[in-house]
Amino acid sequence: MNARADFRPQRTVRVGEREIPTDAEGYLRNLQDWSEDFARALAQEENLALTAEHWEVIRFLREHYQQHGVQAQVRVMIRHFTRAWDARRGSNHYLHELFPMGGPQKQGNRLAGLLRTKGEH
């Protein structure tokens, strides 16, 4: 493999005294680097104040990935949070209000320390 093919833009997120490597958009390079402190630090960089609802979504995303080995589809999130909360707060619109930088499938996955979903550029 040549060096050019292996080049991927990278940045870091400071968590305490550590610099955690991510890609240019903030997705973790190593899933084991995730912590709640990482989520807080990345959210702060993205000007997002994490509420209890954000944490519920983040924990749901992580649990879904651990159980199924893939990221939750938006329709799965809508179904789950409509049952857990109510129809308004479980809606696609509300989930995108919670995660304004790409919705729960992009910003939510980044904050949950999960990989970029298929089809993202």
Side-chain angles (χ1 to χ4, degrees):
M1 187 184 301
N2 68 37
R4 186 174 184 85
D6 198 30
F7 173 77
R8 294 176 290 181
Q10 180 172 310
R11 68 178 195 156
T12 60
V13 174
R14 186 164 193 73
V15 178
E17 297 300 315
R18 290 186 61 206
E19 294 289 337
I20 306 296
T22 68
D23 72 5
E25 293 182 54
Y27 290 94
L28 282 174
R29 294 285 189 180
N30 179 353
L31 298 182
Q32 278 48 21
D33 283 336
W34 186 85
S35 66
E36 288 189 1
D37 287 337
F38 170 83
R40 286 183 195 98
L42 183 60
Q44 185 174 6
E45 285 187 12
E46 296 181 355
N47 295 313
L48 183 67
L50 295 176
T51 65
E53 287 179 332
H54 290 101
W55 284 111
E56 281 188 60
V57 174
I58 289 168
R59 289 183 181 109
F60 171 79
L61 292 170
R62 290 187 58 77
E63 288 170 14
H64 187 278
Y65 185 81
Q66 289 168 353
Q67 291 174 1
H68 303 281
V70 296
Q71 292 91 337
Q73 296 173 326
V74 175
R75 65 185 170 87
V76 172
M77 291 181 231
I78 291 169
R79 187 177 323 120
H80 173 82
F81 288 105
T82 295
R83 288 182 194 142
W85 297 339
D86 58 48
R88 182 187 67 79
R89 293 186 306 147
S91 72
N92 188 43
H93 180 76
Y94 188 77
L95 292 171
H96 277 76
E97 284 181 1
L98 282 178
F99 298 97
M101 292 179 66
Q105 201 165 32
K106 289 185 181 183
Q107 189 173 31
N109 280 334
R110 278 194 308 272
L111 293 167
L114 302 178
L115 301 172
R116 174 189 311 263
T117 55
K118 287 184 178 182
E120 278 191 61
H121 300 94

